[in-house]
Amino acid sequence: MYAAAIFISMLGLSYAAVPLYRLFCASTGYSGTPVTDANRFSKERLVPHNEQRRIRITFESNTSDALPWSFKPELREIYVVPGETALTFYKAKSKAKEDIVGIATYNVTPHRAGSYFNKIQCFCFEEQRLEPQEDVDMPVFFFIDPDFLDDPYMKDVNTVTLSYTLFNAKYAKHLSPVQPPTA
């Protein structure tokens, strides 16, 4: 009976591991995952700090081979001051002969900067349906947390890269947004 109980417990933990890991990453910024805590969007955090230190934000895009779309950032880079909000767009165009649904994941590098990269609005983990030859601009509204300036591990970080990968939603059923922990 003990062995069966241990086996069932381990099986349950293995199924819970992925969602728990994603929740952990979203709340701590571990592994380059931007923090999604709503408390970080208060008015005092959205004020530019230290005009002398501008951070270069670069944008990258990738598309799965199973998704016949072109997908590119409209800007390759911008410079922001921590606390300053910024808006940029990615452009997607369907090359398919029928409607197709895509879904995006993202990552921030260097990974240690992920906890300071706060997205206010983005298209990640939302299904995007495009008709044949349709193109769409997808917004990303973000800011770098002002605490970035106080972290000694961020002193040598002058460039942060936001990278998106688009997948065919038919083959990416496991992708869903990470829900932030509720207080």
Side-chain angles (χ1 to χ4, degrees):
M1 292 300 272
Y2 288 118
I6 290 172
F7 176 76
I8 291 170
S9 297
M10 295 303 280
L11 185 65
L13 283 175
S14 68
Y15 276 102
V18 172
L20 289 175
Y21 179 74
R22 292 178 72 196
L23 189 60
F24 169 76
C25 290
S27 63
T28 64
Y30 182 74
S31 190
T33 304
V35 175
T36 56
D37 182 6
N39 295 331
R40 296 200 127 174
F41 304 136
S42 62
K43 289 181 186 177
E44 59 274 359
R45 291 192 136 346
L46 299 176
V47 175
H49 292 73
N50 190 355
E51 296 286 335
Q52 278 73 43
R53 179 128 190 242
R54 291 199 166 271
I55 309 300
R56 178 177 170 234
I57 310 295
T58 61
F59 304 100
E60 294 181 354
S61 61
N62 299 292
T63 309
S64 165
D65 291 339
L67 185 66
W69 288 8
S70 65
F71 177 59
K72 301 276 184 241
E74 295 212 355
L75 296 173
R76 288 289 179 191
E77 67 181 32
I78 60 174
Y79 289 83
V80 297
V81 172
E84 174 185 19
T85 58
L87 175 66
T88 190
F89 292 88
Y90 280 74
K91 182 177 280 297
K93 180 174 175 85
S94 175
K95 298 176 185 175
K97 291 181 175 32
E98 68 278 335
D99 289 4
I100 194 162
V101 178
I103 191 166
T105 62
Y106 63 90
N107 203 347
V108 174
T109 54
H111 295 306
R112 65 183 187 251
S115 61
Y116 297 104
F117 194 96
N118 295 284
K119 293 184 301 159
I120 298 168
Q121 177 188 2
C122 84
F123 54 88
C124 52
F125 299 113
E126 294 177 2
E127 291 185 347
Q128 307 289 329
R129 177 181 298 278
L130 293 183
E131 295 177 2
Q133 305 306 310
E134 179 182 8
D135 63 351
V136 65
D137 289 331
M138 298 184 282
V140 180
F141 190 39
F142 68 93
F143 70 99
I144 301 294
D145 193 306
D147 292 345
F148 180 95
L149 298 169
D150 300 327
D151 189 336
Y153 293 114
M154 296 296 119
K155 295 291 184 214
D156 65 335
V157 176
N158 296 311
T159 300
V160 175
T161 301
L162 176 62
S163 178
Y164 280 95
T165 302
L166 268 176
F167 297 93
N168 187 327
K170 181 168 54 172
Y171 303 114
K173 300 283 186 210
H174 65 285
L175 296 179
S176 62
V178 175
Q179 298 301 318
T182 55

